[in-house]
Amino acid sequence: MSEPEVLFCLHFLGGSARSWEPLARALAGTPLTCVPVDLPGFGDAAGTPGYSVAAMADHVAESIRARAPARFGIAGHSMGAKVALALARRAEDGEAGLTGLTDLILVSGSPPSPEPIPEDRRAEMLAWIDADPETRRREAQAFVRANVGDRLDPETEERAVADVLRAAPAAWKAWLEAGANEDWCRRVGVLRTPALILAGSEDADLGPDAQQALTAPHLAHHRLVTVDGVGHLLPLERPAALADGLRAHFDDRPRRPVEAAPTVAPDYAALIASERVNGRLRQALAERAAPDDPAYRPAALDPVELAILRAALARVMPVPHLDLAARLDRRLASGAGDGWRFSALPPDADAYRAALRTLDAAARAAQGRPFTTLDAPRQDALLTLCQRGDLTVPDALGGRLDADRMRFWFEDLRADAVRLWLGHPAALARIGFSGIGAGGDRPGEIADGLPGFHAVGLDAPEPWEPQTLQTEAGR
Amino acid sequence: MNLAGMRTYRADDVVDAVVVGTGAGGAPLLARLAAAGLRVVALEAGPNFTPERFAFDETLADEIYWTDERLSGGATPEAFGANNSGTGVGGSTLHWGAFVPRADTRDLRLHTETGEGVDWPLTYEDLLPFYERVERFLGVSGAPSYPWDAGRRYPLPPVPRNGPAEIMARACEARGIRWADAPAAVVSQDFQSEDGPRRNACINCGFCHQGCRTGAKASMDVTYLPYAVARGAEIRAEAFVHGLERAADGRVTGVVYRQDGEDRRQRCGAVFLCAGAVETPRLLLNLGLANSSGQIGRNYMGHVATQVWGTFDNEVRMNRGYPSSLITEDFIRAGADFAGGYLIQSLGVVPVTFGNAVARGRGLWGKPLLDYLDRYNRLAGIGINGETLPCDANVLTLADETDAHGMRKAHISFGYGTNEDRLNAHATKVMRGLWEEAGAEDIWVLERVAHTLGTCRMGRDGSSAVVDPHGRSFDIDNLWICDGSTFPSSLAANPALTIMALSLRSAEAFLAGRA
C-alpha cells in the first residue's frame, strides 16, 4: 500500500486549521501534504452552520471532493477524530468521492460512543464561553493549559487561546451539549482502514485507557501509541513526535494478520477427510475452522461491548486465533437460543449487553480502569467475583445487573464459550475425540453398513482412533 | 420419516381424533387408533427429518431440540432444550436416551407406603401388559434376567457394555451391589419394525442424543409412526397448535394450528394433547381451558439427576457404545431417611454436552477448563434418576413475555424439597463410594435435573386432578392428555417407557368408549 497524497486534518474543540501548522512544518520535505480543514463554527469557518457530527462530516466530505485526491488519509484530533470515524464509515460503505481513504490517524480522539466528560467540567465549559471578554480570555487560557502536559511555548499558547476565542460559542456549546454525546458506536461499527491511535499519557479523559476501551474496538487494524508526558493537545505539544508517529505508521501499517485460525493436527485432518466422516459434518467442521474476519461487525452487541466480551473470553476460554466473541455475537443476533434462560435474566442479547457493561463498570469502580485494559490477574479477580455472586457495582457507575444475575450470566458465558470451542475441529483433535469417525455417508433414510465401533470396552481403542493426549493434564 | 403416499384428510373432514405432538405420548396412540380404523391426524410443531440428517455432531443436532425459549426459575432452575425437549416428527424421542426401565411397583403407591407424595390412580398390574407391548414393539434390548424382577424378559439381548459400564460393574461387584445390562430401546440385532423400516443393529456410535443414523434406536419415526401411517394416519409437520375450537357444550370441535405462515384448522371428534409437560399445560393455560381443578401447571417435576465423574487410568473413550449400558435398581428403596428412591446408570457423554456440564456445573474456566477437557478419553461418569415429590412451590405459569406465535412463554419454577435433598445426599455418597472403589481420581459431583413431568396430573377426582386415570379431561370429555404432564409423581424410572405404556392404555380406553 502506497502513501496517501494528502492528509485531511480535523482539529479539536476550540482549535482550527491553524492547529495543524506545526505538524505541517514537521512533515515538510516528505511526500505527504497536510490539508487542514476548519470545521463549522471554528477558525475561518466560524460563521458556517452545521455542528452535528454528521454535518461536520458533510463539510469535510465537500473539502475532500473538492480536492479529489486519488488516495488520502484523515487525521482527526479529539472532536475531529469522531468526525473522521464517521467519514471512514461512509468511505468504507463506498460513498462516491471518499473511496480513496487509505489511513486514519486518531489523536486523543473523541470516541464514537458518548464522550466521558465529567459533568462538572462540561457545565463549567458551557458557562464561560458566553461570559465577558476578560473572563473568556482567562478561561480560554485555563482551558488550553488544563489540556497539556507541559506548558506550551508562549507563541503557540497564544495562538491556541486566540482560536478558542475565535470559535462560535454556539458551535462550542453544540459540541459539549450534543456532538460529544452523539452515539455513533453502532453506526461506525468496525472499520478495516489501517489506523494509528495516539494518546497522551497525561490526558485526563481521553488517554490510553479510553482509547483502548472506546476507540480501538472500532478499528480492526490499528496500533495504539502512547506519547509520554503529553496531555490532550499532541499536535501543539509535540508536533515532531506526531510526525514521527505518522512516518512510523506509513512505514509499517498495522496489517491484517496472516489468516489465523487454530490448526488441526494432520492426523485428525486426515480423519476428517476420510470416508469415516459424513459430508454434512465435514462441511460443518470446515466452516467452523475457517478464520474469523478481524473486522467482524457485531450485530447483537456494539463494538465496545464486543471488545469487553473478547477480553472476558480470553480469560474464560484461552484459545488463540479464534474469535469466540464474534461467533457468540452472531448467535445472539440470530435469536437462536438453547431453549431456555434463567428467569432472573433478560433475553440473551440484552443480558449479555448489560452484563458486559456491568463488568466494565465494576472494573472502573475497583481499579479505575476499563475492563479491557486490566491485566489478566485483575480481570480474573473480577470474573471470580462474578462466579461467586459477589460482583457489585455502585449504581452511579452504571451497574445494570446485580450480583446474582452476574453469577447466572457468567455461568451462561462459560457454557457458551465451551460449546463454541468444542465444536471446532482443533478442539476435537486436541481431546482426541473419535466419535466423528463412527460413520460416513450412506444412501437412504436408514444407513446400512456404517463402521461404528466394534470394541467399546476399556483400553481397546481401534487402530484408526485419534491418540489420547499424553500431556500431564491428559492423564 | 417417509410420508410419501400417506393418506390425507381435508380440513373440513371431521376426523375421529387429532393428536398434538408425535413423541412418546402421541405416537403410540396414533398407531393404535389408526390400527383400529379410526381417522386420525397428528400435528407436529417441528419439521419432518429423515435420519440422513443425523451427522454425528452435537451442534448440528440443535435442530432436533425444542429451542423456543422457556424461563427457568426457582431454587434449582432446570435446563430445557437439549436436556429434555425435542422437536420434529418423533418429538423428543429423536434425541432421547432410550433408557427404558419400568416403573417400580412401589413407586406407584408411594403415599400408601410412606405418607409422602401421592399414589397413582392405577397399579403396576394395569401398566404391565402395556409395558410388554411397548417393549416388544420397540425391540428393547436388555439383560436376559433382570435382578429386580425375576419374571421380566426383554425381547433382545443387551447392547455391549462400554467403558463406563465396565467400570461401574466392577465397582458394584466389589461393593455387593447388584447390577445388570441396562434395558435400552436400541436394537442389539437387526430388527424389522412392524410396517416400518428394517432397523440395523446398533453400531455403538454413541450419538443417541443427536439422532440415530441407523434406525437402531427406537425413536417414534422408525417405530410407531410408520405403523400409524401404514394404517391410514396422517402426520402434518411444522404445524404449531395454538387454538382449540369448541361447540356451545364446551366439547372440542376443531384444532387450530399455524402452518406455512397461515392459521389452519382441522375438525375433529376428539383431541389428544401430547406435547409434553411444558407445552401441553402452556397451551391450556394460554387458552384458559380444562382447568376447573386449578391444577394445570402445578406440581411440575424434574428428576433428581445428579452425576458423579472421575478420571481413570484406563482409556475409557466414553463416547463409544450405548451411553448408559449399565443399571442398578438396588436403591429404588435405600432404607434411608427419604421417600422413594433412585436408580443408577453408567454414563458416557459426548464432548459438548460434557463441556457444558463442566463449565456450568463444575464451574471451571480458563486453563483449568482446557486442561480438564484434555482428559476426555479417560473420564467416566455415573448418574441417578431419582424420585421427585410433587410440591406446591414447583409450578409452571405463564410469563409476561410472548413467543413468535403471540402465546405467552412458560415460566417454570423448580426446586428440591427436603426429600429430594436427602435422596440426593444419599445417592451422591453411594456414587462417590463406587467411583472411589473403581479407582477414580479427581471425583466431582454434577448437580443436574432431568425430564419434564407433572403439570396436568391424573387422578380419580376432578377437583384435584386435570385428567382421569386414562388421561381424559374431567372438564372436556373429548379432550385427552397423554404425555409426561399427567404423572402424579415422578417415579424413579426414566419416564418415556411409562409415557408410551400410558399412551396405549389411553388409546384402549378411547376405543372402548366408542364401542
Side-chain angles (χ1 to χ4, degrees), chain B residues 124-448:
Chain B
Y124 184 80
E125 288 64 38
D126 291 328
L127 285 175
L128 182 58
F130 298 104
Y131 277 146
E132 289 176 338
R133 264 165 71 180
V134 173
E135 288 167 355
R136 262 197 317 274
F137 188 84
L138 300 185
V140 171
S141 302
S145 93
Y146 201 64
W148 306 276
D149 183 2
R152 193 184 304 183
R153 293 292 176 267
Y154 286 109
L156 299 177
V159 293
R161 248 165 262 160
N162 68 354
E166 286 187 10
I167 293 171
M168 179 173 153
R170 198 167 73 196
C172 284
E173 204 59 43
R175 297 246 162 162
I177 294 168
R178 290 172 296 172
W179 54 271
D181 292 307
V186 166
V187 294
S188 53
Q189 303 169 347
D190 291 356
F191 186 87
Q192 180 60 51
S193 268
E194 190 175 347
D195 280 324
R198 189 183 57 80
R199 297 161 53 201
N200 288 316
C202 176
I203 60 166
N204 308 309
C205 76
F207 283 105
C208 291
H209 296 284
Q210 286 68 39
C212 181
R213 181 70 187 88
T214 65
K217 190 183 78 170
S219 49
M220 297 299 96
D221 62 323
V222 295
T223 54
Y224 281 110
L225 295 176
Y227 177 98
V229 167
R231 282 164 173 70
E234 179 184 356
I235 299 171
R236 296 183 195 152
E238 298 181 67
F240 181 89
V241 173
H242 60 86
L244 296 176
E245 289 183 339
R246 296 196 303 151
D249 63 2
R251 301 186 89 231
V252 173
T253 56
V255 178
V256 185
Y257 60 99
R258 196 148 188 90
Q259 190 181 38
D260 296 333
E262 56 184 69
D263 283 339
R264 298 176 179 171
R265 69 164 191 161
Q266 176 63 53
R267 299 177 68 195
C268 62
V271 62
F272 288 80
L273 299 183
C274 311
V278 176
E279 294 310 313
T280 290
R282 183 167 86 100
L283 176 66
L284 290 173
L285 288 173
N286 266 282
L287 298 175
L289 290 180
N291 198 20
S292 67
S293 65
Q295 286 292 319
I296 296 182
R298 305 189 68 89
N299 301 303
Y300 178 85
M301 292 167 286
H303 279 115
V304 182
T306 305
Q307 302 176 349
V308 167
W309 290 90
T311 309
F312 292 85
D313 281 338
N314 307 82
E315 270 207 72
V316 181
R317 295 192 178 258
M318 64 171 168
N319 57 286
R320 309 186 310 168
Y322 176 67
S324 305
S325 45
L326 209 85
I327 186 171
T328 176
E329 290 197 14
D330 267 11
F331 301 93
I332 294 290
R333 287 299 175 271
D337 58 348
F338 52 89
Y342 56 90
L343 57 82
I344 305 180
Q345 56 183 195
S346 59
L347 294 175
V349 176
V350 277
V352 174
T353 306
F354 183 71
N356 181 64
V358 172
R360 286 189 187 274
R362 197 176 190 186
L364 294 184
W365 50 280
K367 187 168 182 298
L369 173 56
L370 285 169
D371 287 348
Y372 187 56
L373 294 175
D374 285 345
R375 300 181 176 189
Y376 179 80
N377 282 336
R378 297 184 173 275
L379 294 163
I382 38 176
I384 63 161
N385 205 68
E387 178 80 45
T388 296
L389 300 181
C391 153
D392 277 348
N394 293 340
V395 59
L396 179 151
T397 53
L398 297 181
D400 292 335
E401 291 174 36
T402 54
D403 67 6
H405 302 282
M407 275 172 67
R408 289 167 70 188
K409 295 180 180 178
H411 180 287
I412 295 92
S413 193
F414 181 74
Y416 290 166
T418 308
N419 201 67
E420 290 75 41
D421 284 338
R422 287 177 177 171
L423 179 152
N424 196 18
H426 189 277
T428 302
K429 193 170 164 213
V430 167
M431 290 192 287
R432 263 191 187 281
L434 284 170
W435 250 214
E436 282 163 7
E437 180 70 49
E441 292 170 40
D442 188 27
I443 296 173
W444 65 281
V445 179
L446 170 67
E447 300 291 343
R448 180 172 167 268

Side-chain angles (χ1 to χ4, degrees), chain A residues 58-115:
Chain A
D58 285 342
H59 176 86
V60 177
E62 272 177 47
S63 301
I64 296 170
R65 289 199 189 93
R67 192 162 180 122
R71 312 172 51 74
F72 64 95
I74 305 177
H77 178 199
S78 190
M79 174 178 84
K82 191 166 185 175
V83 178
L85 288 162
L87 279 164
R89 167 47 55 208
R90 289 162 60 169
E92 290 195 12
D93 287 349
E95 183 172 315
L98 300 181
T99 52
L101 177 67
T102 59
D103 298 270
L104 278 169
I105 312 296
L106 303 167
V107 184
S108 307
S110 181
S113 302
E115 184 180 326

Side-chain angles (χ1 to χ4, degrees), chain A residues 278 280 288 316 341 343 387 412 414 419 430 432 442 444-445 447-448 453 457 459 465-466 473 475, chain B residues 52-53 57 62 69-70 72 200 203-204 213 314-315 317 320 359-360 363 365-366 374-375 377 401:
Chain A
N278 69 75
R280 186 180 179 211
R288 293 173 206 160
V316 168
R341 72 172 207 256
S343 61
Q387 182 163 23
D412 282 344
R414 298 194 304 268
R419 173 187 160 84
R430 177 170 163 163
R442 293 291 186 282
E445 251 193 76
D448 294 322
F453 292 103
D459 299 318
E465 288 190 70
R475 256 285 286 120
Chain B
E52 275 174 294
R53 293 286 294 171
D57 182 75
D62 280 352
E69 191 169 74
R70 297 161 179 173
S72 194
N200 288 316
I203 60 166
N204 308 309
R213 181 70 187 88
N314 307 82
E315 270 207 72
R317 295 192 178 258
R320 309 186 310 168
R360 286 189 187 274
W365 50 280
D374 285 345
R375 300 181 176 189
N377 282 336
E401 291 174 36

Side-chain angles (χ1 to χ4, degrees), chain A residues 165-188:
Chain A
L165 295 173
R166 230 174 9 138
W172 175 273
K173 288 190 285 190
W175 173 255
L176 291 171
E177 289 176 332
N181 286 332
E182 284 182 29
D183 191 348
W184 281 73
C185 191
R186 282 179 185 269
R187 274 181 285 178
V188 168

